[in-house]
C-alpha cells in the first residue's frame, strides 16, 4: 500500500490571501526579499565559503532526501535565511566578452547621462533655491538677528528673559487627585472629636454613669492653686516660686523632639560603654553626667557623678563637677570630702572659698588651704586681696618666705611698706631673684617717689650691670616698653633713666641717629610723649648740631609741651644751630604770636647777625613791622634786603608793600620794572604789573603789549595766560579771551587750570554745553584732575549729578575739590547728615584746604539745630589748622587790603561770600 507523503512546505506555492503581511502578528508591517535588493552573495568562485555550485556537495545522497530535491535540497534551506541556493546564479566564469559587454553598457549610460546635463543641473539648482525660499532653515531665518546681537549692551542682555523660565511659566500644571479612603476620613473624624462628657464604655464602676471633663479641668486648676499657695512663705512674706510667672516658666521650657530623644539614648549608651570599659577615665564620667543634665534628669546625673567620685577619687574635675550639680549646702559637703582625699588641689580650695558667702568664712577656707599648699601663688593672692593693709602686710611677709621666687608678691609687699622698709624688701627680692628687671625698676621708682631723683640713675645703671652679669640681658625694645610703662605710672625720671642707659644697646654708630628718630616717632604714635622726649634728648647729647633733630624736638614741644619748655628748647636750638633759619623764624614767631613783639625783634636782630643774607629772616622782619603799622621801618628793611639779599621774592614783597600800604602806583611800577630787569622769568612780577596797569586804567593796547612781553619771557606760565584772558574778558573782548586760553591749551595740554578757566569762561558767556565739552576734553587729557571733576559735577544737570559724583570718586578718591563738591550736592538735596559726614571728611583729610572749612562753617550755621556751639568748634579748629588753599579762600586772602587779615577774619569773609552765592542761586 503506497502512502502519499505531503510536502511540508506546500504553502510556499500558494497565493496569499488579500491584505496578508507576513509577520504582522509580531509587529511587522512588511519585509523585503532578496529578489528586491538582489543577491548579497559573492559569485566569484575563488572566494571560499561563498557562491552556489550546482554540482557541489560530497557526492553522497540519502534516500530520504528525494522529496527535497525539488527545492534545492534540505541541507540548503534555513529557517531564518531561506534557501541558500542561488537559482539565478551562473556557474560559468566571468570572461572577456562579459567585461566587454559591461563596458559597452557603461559607455551608453555615460552618453545618456551627458545629454541635457547642464539643463538638468540648472533645473535642479532652481528647484533647490525655490525650496529654500519656500521652506528656509531656522538658521537662515535668524542670521540677520544674530548679527544685530552685536549691538546689544550688557545691561540689555542681562534683562532678556530666560527661555526655560517661560516654558516653565506657561507649562500647564497637572493636578493629581487621589481620593482618600473612607477609613482614613473616619479615623480622622474620631481623633478630632471632643467630648465634654466621657461616653459609657461598658466597664464603668457601678453607680458611675458619666465623667464631666469640665469639672475635671476645674479641679486640676484648684489643686494647682493650692500647691502654689503652699510653696509661698507665709512667715517672711516672700515666695520661693512666683505663682503668676509659674505657667510662663513652664511654657518657656523646651520639650525635646523624638529625634533628640533618640540621640540622647545613643549618647547614653556610648558614654555607658566608655565608663564601663575605662572606669578611671574622668572626662567620660563628666560627659555622661552632663548628658543627663541636658536630658533633664538631675537625679541620674548626681548618681553618675557620685559613682565617678568613687571610681576617680584623685580627679579634681570630677569633684568640682559633683559640686556644681549639688545644692550649695550639699556642694560644701562634697568639697569637704574632696579636700580630705585631695588636700593639695588649688582648684578645689578656690571653689570651696567661692561657695562661701561670708567674708570671714572665705578667709578661713583660704587660710586652711594655705596650710596644705603654702607654695600656691593663687591662694596667697586670693587671701591677701581679702585682708586689710595691715593684715595683708603680715600675709605677704609669710608669702614671700613660702614663695621667694615670685616677683609680684615681693613688689606688693614693698608697696605696703615704708620707704626704709621697702628698700630692705627690694634688696631681699634682688637676692632671691637676681635676674628680675622688674625689681630693679621698682627700686628706681621707689627712689623717685621719695624725691631722690639722683639715685634713680644710679639704680638703673646698677641694674644694667647686674643683669648683664647674670646673663639676663633684655633687648632695647623691652627696655623702651618698660620706660613707657613707667611714664604711664607717672615715673618720668625712671623713664628718662631707662632710656639714657639702654637706648644705645646693640646699635652701630652709623645707625644711631636714624634708629633713634624712628624710636621717638613710634613712641609719639603710641602716646608716650615723655619717652620720645627722652630719646630726643639723648640723641641731641650725641648729635648736638643736627638741625633736623632740633626741629623735631621743637615741633614736639610746640604740640605737646608748654610755652616755657618750647622757649627753652628754641633757645638751646638757636645756640646749637645758629645758621638754621627755620629755628630763628619759629622762635620769633612764637614770641610775636604771644604778643611779645620787642622780643621777636631782638630775636630777628640776632638772626641777622648769624644769617646776614637770609631772605626769610629779612621778610619775617618786614612782616612784623608791617603788622605793627611801622611802614617806614618795613620799607627801610626791604631796601636793605634788596641790597644784601636781592632775590625775586624780596622785590615782589617790596612791590606788595607799596600796593598795600604806600598807595604810590609810580613807586610800585618802578619797583616792578626794576625787579623784571633782574628777574625777567618771574611770572609773579609780570602778573603784578599786569594787575597794576589794569587798576590804573591803562589803555588796553598797553596792557596787551605787557602780557605779550610776559608770554615771550614765560611762554608756559599758566597764571600769565589766565590773567591775560581775564583782562580781555573784563574789557568785554570774549573772543580774545577765548583765543588766549586756546593758545594756552596748546602750550600746556596737561594743565587743569587752563581747561577749568576756559570752561568757566564759556559758562559765563551762556555756553553751558560748550563748557561741558571743554571739561570732557580736559578729563580725557587729565582723568585724575579733581578740579575738573568738581566743576563737571557743578555744571551737570540736577538729575545726573549723583552719577557724575560716583564717576569722580572712582577716578580721584582723595581730592579735596571732589569731596567738597560731593558734600555740597548732598546739602542741596536735603541730606543733611550725609553732607555733614562728607564735610567732616574734607576738613579732616585736608586741613589746609580753606574752601572746605568755609563751606563746612556756612553749612553748620544754616542747618544745625545747635549752630552756635558747633560753628564755634569748627571756627576754632580752622584757626588752629591755618588753611591757605582753595580758590574762594585765596580770593579773599590775596585781595588788596587784606594782607593783615588773620585766619578767623578770612573764614568769616569767605563764609559771607558763600552765603551771598547761595542766596543768588536759590541753593539754601
Amino acid at each position: 500500500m503506497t502512502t502519499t507523503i505531503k510536502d511540508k512546505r506546500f504553502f510556499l506555492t500558494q497565493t496569499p490571501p488579500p491584505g496578508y503581511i507576513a509577520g504582522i502578528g509580531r509587529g511587522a508591517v512588511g519585509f523585503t526579499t532578496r529578489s528586491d535588493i538582489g543577491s548579497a552573495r559573492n559569485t566569484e568562485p575563488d572566494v571560499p565559503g561563498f557562491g552556489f555550485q550546482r554540482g557541489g556537495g560530497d557526492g553522497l545522497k540519502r534516500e530520504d532526501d528525494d522529496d527535497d530535491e525539488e527545492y534545492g535540497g534540505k541541507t540548503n534551506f534555513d529557517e531564518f535565511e531561506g534557501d541558500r541556493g542561488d537559482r539565478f546564479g551562473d556557474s560559468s566564469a566571468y570572461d572577456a566578452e562579459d567585461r566587454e559587454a559591461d563596458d559597452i553598457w557603461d559607455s551608453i549610460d555615460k552618453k545618456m547621462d551627458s545629454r541635457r546635463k547642464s539643463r538638468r543641473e540648472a533645473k535642479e539648482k532652481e528647484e533647490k533655491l525655490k525650496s529654500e525660499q519656500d521652506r528656509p532653515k531656522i538658521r537662515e531665518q535668524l542670521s540677520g538677528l544674530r548679527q544685530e546681537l552685536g549691538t546689544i549692551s550688557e545691561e540689555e542682555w542681562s534683562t532678556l528673559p530666560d527661555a526655560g523660565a517661560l516654558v516653565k511659566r506657561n507649562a500647564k500644571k497637572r493636578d493629581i487627585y487621589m481620593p482618600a479612603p473612607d477609613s482614613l476620613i473616619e479615623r480622622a473624624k474620631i481623633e478630632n472629636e471632643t467630648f465634654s462628657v466621657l461616653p459609657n464604655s461598658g466597664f464603668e464602676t457601678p453607680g458611675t454613669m458619666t465623667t464631666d471633663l469640665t469639672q475635671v479641668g476645674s479641679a486640676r486648676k484648684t489643686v494647682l492653686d493650692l500647691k502654689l499657695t503652699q510653696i509661698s512663705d507665709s512667715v517672711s512674706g516672700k515666695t520661693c516660686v512666683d505663682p503668676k510667672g509659674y505657667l510662663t516658666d513652664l511654657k518657656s521650657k523646651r520639650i525635646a523632639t523624638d529625634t533628640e530623644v533618640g540621640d540622647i539614648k545613643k549618647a547614653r549608651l556610648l558614654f555607658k560603654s566608655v565608663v564601663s570599659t575605662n572606669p578611671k577615665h574622668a572626662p567620660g564620667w563628666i560627659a555622661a553626667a552632663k548628658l543627663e543634665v541636658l536630658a533633664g534628669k538631675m537625679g541620674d546625673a548626681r548618681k553618675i557623678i557620685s559613682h565617678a567620685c568613687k571610681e576617680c577619687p584623685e580627679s579634681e574635675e570630677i569633684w568640682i563637677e559633683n559640686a556644681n550639680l549639688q545644692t550649695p549646702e550639699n556642694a560644701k559637703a562634697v568639697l569637704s570630702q574632696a579636700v580630705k582625699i585631695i588636700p593639695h588641689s588649688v582648684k578645689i580650695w578656690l571653689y570651696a572659698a567661692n561657695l562661701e558667702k561670708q567674708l570671714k568664712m572665705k578667709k578661713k577656707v583660704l587660710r586652711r588651704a594655705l596650710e596644705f599648699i603654702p607654695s600656691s601663688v593663687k591662694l596667697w593672692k586670693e587671701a591677701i586681696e581679702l585682708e586689710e593693709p595691715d593684715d595683708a602686710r603680715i600675709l605677704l611677709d609669710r608669702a614671700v618666705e613660702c614663695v621667694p621666687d615670685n616677683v609680684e608678691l615681693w613688689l606688693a609687699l614693698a608697696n605696703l611698706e615704708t620707704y626704709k622698709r621697702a628698700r630692705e624688701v627690694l634688696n631681699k627680692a634682688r637676692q632671691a631673684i637676681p635676674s628680675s628687671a622688674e625689681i630693679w625698676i621698682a627700686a628706681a621708682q621707689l627712689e623717685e617717689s621719695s624725691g631722690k631723683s639722683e639715685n634713680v640713675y644710679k639704680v638703673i645703671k646698677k641694674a644694667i650691670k647686674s643683669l648683664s652679669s647674670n646673663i639676663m640681658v633684655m633687648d632695647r625694645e623691652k627696655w623702651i616698653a618698660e620706660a613707657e610703662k613707667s611714664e604711664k605710672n607717672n615715673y618720668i625720671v625712671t623713664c628718662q633713666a631707662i632710656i639714657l642707659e639702654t637706648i644705645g644697646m646693640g646699635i652701630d654708630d652709623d645707625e644711631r641717629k636714624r634708629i633713634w628718630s624712628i624710636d621717638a616717632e613710634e613712641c609719639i604714635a603710641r602716646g608716650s610723649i615723655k619717652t620720645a622726649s627722652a630719646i630726643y634728648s639723648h640723641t641731641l647729647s650725641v648729635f648736638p648740631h643736627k638741625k633736623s633733630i632740633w626741629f623735631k624736638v621743637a615741633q614736639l614741644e610746640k604740640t605737646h609741651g608748654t610755652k616755657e619748655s618750647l622757649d627753652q628748647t628754641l633757645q638751646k636750638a638757636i645756640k646749637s644751630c645758629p645758621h638754621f633759619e627755620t629755628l630763628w623764624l619759629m622762635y620769633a614767631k612764637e614770641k610775636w604770636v604771644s604778643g611779645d613783639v620787642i622780643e621777636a625783634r631782638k630775636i630777628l636782630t640776632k638772626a641777622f647777625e648769624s644769617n646776614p643774607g637770609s631772605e626769610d629772616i629779612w621778610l619775617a622782619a618786614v612782616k612784623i613791622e608791617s603788622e605793627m603799622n611801622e611802614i617806614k621801618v618795613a620799607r627801610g628793611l626791604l631796601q636793605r634786603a634788596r641790597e644784601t639779599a636781592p632775590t625775586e621774592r624780596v622785590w615782589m614783597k617790596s612791590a606788595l608793600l607799596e600796593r598795600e600800604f604806600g598807595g604810590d602806583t609810580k613807586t610800585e611800577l618802578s619797583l616792578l620794572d626794576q625787579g623784571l630787569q633782574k628777574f625777567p622769568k618771574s611770572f609773579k612780577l609780570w602778573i603784578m604789573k599786569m594787575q597794576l596797569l589794569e587798576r590804573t586804567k591803562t589803555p588796553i593796547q598797553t596792557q596787551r603789549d605787557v602780557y605779550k612781553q610776559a608770554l615771550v619771557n614765560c611762554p608756559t606760565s599758566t597764571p600769565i595766560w589766565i590773567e591775560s584772558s581775564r583782562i580781555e574778558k573784563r574789557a568785554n573782548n570774549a573772543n580774545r579771551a577765548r583765543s588766549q586760553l586756546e593758545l594756552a591749551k596748546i602750550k600746556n595740554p596737561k594743565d587743569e587750570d587752563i581747561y577749568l578757566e576756559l570752561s568757566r569762561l564759556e559758562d559765563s558767556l551762556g555756553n553751558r554745553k560748550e563748557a561741558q565739552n571743554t571739561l570732557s576734553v580736559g578729563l580725557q587729557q587729565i582723568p585724575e584732575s579733581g578740579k575738573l571733576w568738581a566743576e563737571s559735577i557743578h555744571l551737570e544737570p540736577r538729575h545726573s549729578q549723583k552719577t557724575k559724583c560716583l564717576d569722580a570718586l572712582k577716578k580721584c578718591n582723595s581730592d579735596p575739590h571732589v569731596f567738597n563738591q560731593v558734600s555740597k550736592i548732598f546739602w542741596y538735596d536735603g541730606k543733611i547728615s550725609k553732607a555733614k559726614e562728607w564735610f567732616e571728611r574734607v576738613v579732616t583729610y585736608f586741613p589746609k584746604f580753606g574752601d572746605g572749612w568755609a563751606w563746612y562753617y556756612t553749612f553748620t550755621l544754616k542747618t544745625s539745630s545747635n549752630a552756635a556751639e558747633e560753628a564755634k568748634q569748627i571756627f576754632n579748629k580752622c584757626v588752629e589748622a591755618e588753611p591757605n588753599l582753595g580758590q574762594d579762600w585765596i580770593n579773599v586772602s590775596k585781595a588788596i587790603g587784606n594782607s593783615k587779615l588773620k585766619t578767623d577774619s578770612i573764614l568769616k569773609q569767605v563764609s559771607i561770600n558763600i552765603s551771598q552765592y547761595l542766596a543768588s542761586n536759590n541753593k539754601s
Side-chain angles (χ1 to χ4, degrees):
M1 184 174 180
T2 304
T3 304
T4 305
I5 300 175
K6 189 176 180 182
D7 188 3
K8 297 178 182 179
R9 296 183 293 277
F10 66 92
F11 59 87
L12 295 175
T13 59
Q14 294 181 357
T15 303
Y20 170 75
I21 298 175
I24 194 172
R26 61 176 182 271
V29 295
F31 61 92
T32 305
T33 62
R34 293 187 187 279
S35 61
D36 297 326
I37 62 175
S39 176
R41 292 186 183 276
N42 193 343
T43 57
E44 294 292 335
D46 297 333
V47 181
F50 290 91
F52 175 75
Q53 299 176 359
R54 293 185 184 276
D58 55 2
L60 300 177
K61 182 180 181 181
R62 293 192 297 269
E63 294 180 358
D64 56 350
D65 293 338
D66 295 340
D67 55 346
D68 296 333
E69 291 297 330
E70 184 180 355
Y71 300 100
K74 184 176 181 180
T75 58
N76 291 330
F77 182 80
D78 184 71
E79 290 183 306
F80 301 100
E81 299 292 335
D83 194 354
R84 293 182 184 176
D86 188 1
R87 296 193 178 276
F88 302 99
D90 190 358
S91 61
S92 61
Y94 187 75
D95 53 11
E97 293 181 357
D98 295 333
R99 187 174 291 105
E100 182 181 1
D102 289 340
D103 292 341
I104 293 171
W105 284 109
D106 289 340
S107 62
I108 293 172
D109 291 339
K110 290 181 180 179
K111 181 67 176 176
M112 296 297 292
D113 186 60
S114 64
R115 295 174 63 184
R116 304 184 183 89
K117 183 178 180 180
S118 58
R119 187 186 301 175
R120 186 175 66 254
E121 289 179 353
K123 185 176 181 181
E124 290 177 354
K125 186 176 181 181
E126 183 180 356
E127 290 178 354
K128 183 180 179 181
L129 183 60
K130 185 177 180 181
S131 175
E132 290 178 353
Q133 292 178 353
D134 294 340
R135 290 184 295 177
K137 296 181 181 179
I138 296 177
R139 181 177 180 182
E140 296 175 354
Q141 294 178 5
L142 299 178
S143 61
L145 298 176
R146 290 175 62 188
Q147 294 177 357
E148 293 178 0
L149 289 177
T151 61
I152 296 179
S153 62
E154 293 185 3
E155 296 180 357
E156 293 174 342
W157 183 265
S158 61
T159 56
L160 290 177
D162 188 5
L166 292 175
V167 172
K168 292 181 180 179
R169 186 176 62 188
N170 296 330
K172 294 183 178 180
K173 295 182 180 180
R174 298 179 61 187
D175 297 332
I176 301 175
Y177 172 73
M178 181 64 69
D182 295 342
S183 59
L184 181 63
I185 298 174
E186 187 65 24
R187 187 173 66 182
K189 178 181 177 182
I190 294 172
E191 289 178 354
N192 295 329
E193 191 173 7
T194 57
F195 298 93
S196 62
V197 178
L198 291 177
N200 295 333
S201 58
F203 298 98
E204 49 285 49
T205 305
T208 304
M209 298 301 296
T210 60
T211 301
D212 190 349
L213 296 184
T214 306
Q215 295 180 0
V216 171
S218 177
R220 289 180 63 187
K221 182 178 179 181
T222 304
V223 172
L224 180 61
D225 291 340
L226 289 174
K227 288 183 178 181
L228 293 176
T229 304
Q230 292 173 0
I231 291 174
S232 301
D233 188 358
S234 59
V235 177
S236 61
K238 299 180 180 179
T239 58
C240 300
V241 176
D242 182 13
K244 296 181 180 179
Y246 183 70
L247 295 178
T248 305
D249 293 339
L250 290 178
K251 287 182 180 180
S252 64
K253 289 187 177 181
R254 182 174 163 273
I255 301 175
T257 62
D258 294 341
T259 304
E260 292 174 346
V261 171
D263 294 339
I264 291 174
K265 290 181 179 179
K266 291 179 182 179
R268 187 180 287 121
L269 292 175
L270 178 62
F271 289 135
K272 185 177 181 182
S273 174
V274 170
V275 298
S276 60
T277 55
N278 187 8
K280 301 300 181 182
H281 185 61
W285 288 104
I286 295 173
K290 288 183 176 180
L291 178 66
E292 298 301 334
V293 173
L294 181 64
K297 298 183 178 181
M298 186 61 71
D300 294 344
R302 289 171 179 167
K303 290 179 182 178
I304 291 172
I305 205 67
S306 298
H307 187 62
C309 291
K310 296 178 182 178
E311 294 290 342
C312 307
E314 301 295 328
S315 174
E316 57 185 12
E317 287 82 6
I318 284 185
W319 287 106
I320 292 174
E321 186 64 26
N322 192 357
N324 280 332
L325 298 178
Q326 305 295 334
T327 60
E329 295 300 326
N330 293 339
K332 293 178 183 179
V334 168
L335 294 176
S336 175
Q337 185 180 359
V339 296
K340 292 178 182 178
I341 299 174
I342 320 173
H344 298 287
S345 174
V346 177
K347 289 184 179 179
I348 292 178
W349 283 108
L350 289 176
Y351 195 88
N354 291 331
L355 282 178
E356 300 294 342
K357 303 298 182 183
Q358 297 180 2
L359 182 62
K360 182 179 179 180
M361 294 304 298
K362 282 189 176 184
K363 294 179 181 180
K364 185 177 180 181
V365 171
L366 290 172
R367 290 181 180 181
R368 181 64 175 169
L370 289 171
E371 293 178 4
F372 289 96
I373 321 170
S375 61
S376 173
V377 178
K378 285 186 178 180
L379 290 175
W380 281 112
K381 288 182 179 180
E382 290 288 335
I384 292 167
E385 287 179 358
L386 299 177
E387 300 293 343
E388 297 295 330
D390 294 337
D391 295 334
R393 187 183 302 110
I394 297 172
L395 280 179
L396 283 169
D397 277 330
R398 178 61 180 161
V400 296
E401 293 178 4
C402 297
V403 194
D405 58 346
N406 188 268
V407 177
E408 294 183 18
L409 294 177
W410 284 107
L411 296 180
L413 178 59
N415 288 332
L416 294 176
E417 297 289 354
T418 60
Y419 169 69
K420 186 176 180 180
R421 175 64 181 156
R423 291 186 66 180
E424 296 176 359
V425 170
L426 291 175
N427 288 330
K428 291 181 181 179
R430 286 201 299 269
Q431 295 173 2
I433 316 172
S435 61
S436 174
E438 290 85 353
I439 295 176
W440 285 102
I441 294 173
Q445 293 174 352
L446 176 65
E447 297 294 336
E448 182 179 355
S449 61
S450 62
K452 299 179 179 181
S453 301
E454 66 279 0
N455 294 339
V456 174
Y457 293 92
K458 297 179 182 179
V459 171
I460 296 298
K461 185 175 289 187
K462 287 182 180 180
I464 303 298
K465 185 177 180 180
S466 175
L467 293 173
S468 301
S469 63
N470 286 286
I471 319 178
M472 182 61 188
V473 181
M474 292 173 59
D475 58 9
R476 55 190 304 279
E477 284 77 14
K478 291 182 179 179
W479 280 113
I480 292 174
E482 291 294 336
E484 293 184 51
K485 191 184 298 182
S486 298
E487 179 187 350
K488 288 181 174 61
N489 294 327
N490 204 24
Y491 293 106
I492 307 302
V493 179
T494 304
C495 167
Q496 295 172 350
I498 292 173
I499 293 298
L500 177 65
E501 297 295 334
T502 62
I503 194 64
M505 286 182 173
I507 299 178
D508 296 335
D509 292 344
D510 297 338
E511 295 289 327
R512 289 181 298 178
K513 177 176 174 292
R514 183 182 65 84
I515 294 177
W516 290 345
S517 298
I518 294 174
D519 291 337
E521 291 172 0
E522 290 177 352
C523 289
I524 293 172
R526 292 192 292 266
S528 303
I529 307 302
K530 296 298 182 180
T531 306
S533 179
I535 295 173
Y536 279 137
S537 298
H538 181 71
T539 306
L540 289 173
S541 65
V542 179
F543 305 101
H545 302 294
K546 290 295 181 180
K547 296 181 288 186
S548 60
I549 302 298
W550 279 113
F551 183 74
K552 290 179 180 178
V553 173
Q555 290 288 348
L556 180 65
E557 294 297 335
K558 182 179 179 181
T559 307
H560 301 283
T562 60
K563 290 184 179 180
E564 292 76 13
S565 63
L566 177 60
D567 188 67
Q568 295 174 3
T569 300
L570 289 172
Q571 283 182 3
K572 295 177 182 178
I574 59 178
K575 289 179 181 179
S576 299
C577 304
H579 301 294
F580 188 36
E581 303 168 2
T582 306
L583 293 175
W584 287 104
L585 295 174
M586 183 182 293
Y587 195 15
K589 183 178 180 181
E590 291 299 323
K591 291 296 182 181
W592 177 50
V593 170
S594 61
D596 194 352
V597 181
I598 298 175
E599 188 65 28
R601 288 171 177 167
K602 291 180 180 180
I603 293 171
L604 290 177
T605 302
K606 294 179 181 179
F608 282 131
E609 297 174 359
S610 301
N611 305 275
S614 173
E615 170 193 289
D616 292 330
I617 294 176
W618 280 108
L619 295 180
V622 170
K623 184 174 182 180
I624 290 177
E625 299 301 336
S626 62
E627 291 289 338
M628 301 303 297
N629 288 326
E630 298 290 342
I631 307 303
K632 291 183 179 180
V633 178
R635 189 180 287 117
L637 288 173
L638 284 171
Q639 185 175 356
R640 291 171 57 190
R642 290 195 298 272
E643 295 172 358
T644 58
T647 63
E648 173 190 346
R649 193 172 170 211
V650 169
W651 284 100
M652 184 186 70
K653 290 294 183 180
S654 300
L656 283 175
L657 182 68
E658 297 298 332
R659 187 182 75 177
E660 293 289 334
F661 304 102
D664 188 355
T665 57
K666 292 182 180 181
T667 305
E668 180 183 353
L669 183 60
S670 175
L671 288 171
L672 290 172
D673 288 336
Q674 294 178 38
L676 287 172
Q677 288 178 3
K678 294 180 178 292
F679 305 99
K681 302 292 183 180
S682 174
F683 73 92
K684 290 185 178 180
L685 292 175
W686 283 111
I687 291 176
M688 290 176 65
K689 184 175 181 180
M690 293 161 60
Q691 293 174 347
L692 174 61
L693 295 177
E694 187 179 11
R695 288 201 316 272
T696 56
K697 297 182 180 180
T698 306
I700 187 64
Q701 188 59 44
T702 305
Q703 297 181 40
R704 288 172 184 164
D705 295 337
V706 171
Y707 74 65
K708 286 178 182 179
Q709 188 178 359
L711 290 173
V712 170
N713 289 281
C714 308
T716 59
S717 175
T718 300
I720 293 179
W721 286 104
I722 293 176
E723 187 62 30
S724 65
S725 173
R726 291 176 180 174
I727 290 173
E728 295 292 350
K729 183 176 180 295
R730 286 192 286 265
N732 297 323
N733 296 320
N735 292 332
R736 278 183 174 273
R738 186 185 294 112
S739 176
Q740 286 295 107
L741 292 175
E742 291 291 346
L743 291 173
K745 191 166 62 172
I746 296 173
K747 294 286 185 180
N748 303 283
K750 297 290 185 179
D751 196 300
E752 60 182 357
D753 291 327
I754 294 175
Y755 288 98
L756 181 63
E757 186 67 23
L758 182 57
S759 172
R760 289 177 176 173
L761 174 64
E762 297 293 347
D763 188 46
S764 65
L765 298 174
N767 302 327
R768 176 62 62 91
K769 190 66 177 178
E770 186 62 29
Q772 292 177 335
N773 293 338
T774 302
L775 290 174
S776 299
V777 174
L779 289 173
Q780 290 177 1
Q781 295 290 333
I782 321 161
E784 296 84 13
S785 172
K787 291 182 179 180
L788 297 183
W789 277 112
E791 187 68 16
S792 180
I793 295 170
H794 171 67
L795 296 182
E796 196 72 16
R798 185 73 173 268
H799 65 275
S800 58
Q801 281 182 333
K802 291 183 179 179
T803 305
K804 187 66 72 173
C805 289
L806 292 175
D807 295 339
L809 291 172
K810 288 179 182 178
K811 290 293 183 180
C812 44
N813 58 356
S814 59
D815 188 271
H817 302 87
V818 174
F819 277 32
N820 198 44
Q821 190 64 38
V822 171
S823 307
K824 291 189 281 186
I825 294 301
F826 280 124
W827 182 14
Y828 299 157
D829 289 344
K831 298 179 179 180
I832 305 302
S833 59
K834 277 282 187 180
K836 183 178 180 180
E837 178 183 345
W838 279 88
F839 276 127
E840 192 68 35
R841 289 184 186 179
V842 175
V843 299
T844 302
Y845 297 152
F846 314 101
K848 295 297 182 181
F849 186 60
D851 288 3
W853 287 106
W855 277 94
Y856 191 19
Y857 181 73
T858 308
F859 164 80
T860 304
L861 289 175
K862 291 184 175 295
T863 60
S864 177
S865 57
N866 191 13
E869 184 176 351
E870 293 184 11
K872 185 178 180 181
Q873 294 177 358
I874 296 170
F875 185 85
N876 294 333
K877 290 180 180 179
C878 178
V879 172
E880 183 179 354
E882 296 183 353
N884 57 357
L885 301 176
Q887 182 180 358
D888 296 336
W889 189 272
I890 292 174
N891 289 341
V892 174
S893 62
K894 298 296 183 181
I896 298 175
N898 291 346
S899 60
K900 288 186 178 182
L901 290 183
K902 304 296 183 184
T903 302
D904 52 353
S905 303
I906 297 173
L907 176 62
K908 291 179 180 179
Q909 185 59 48
V910 177
S911 177
I912 293 172
N913 296 343
I914 292 173
S915 299
Q916 293 175 354
Y917 164 77
L918 294 174
S920 62
N921 290 273
N922 298 321
K923 293 287 187 180
S924 58

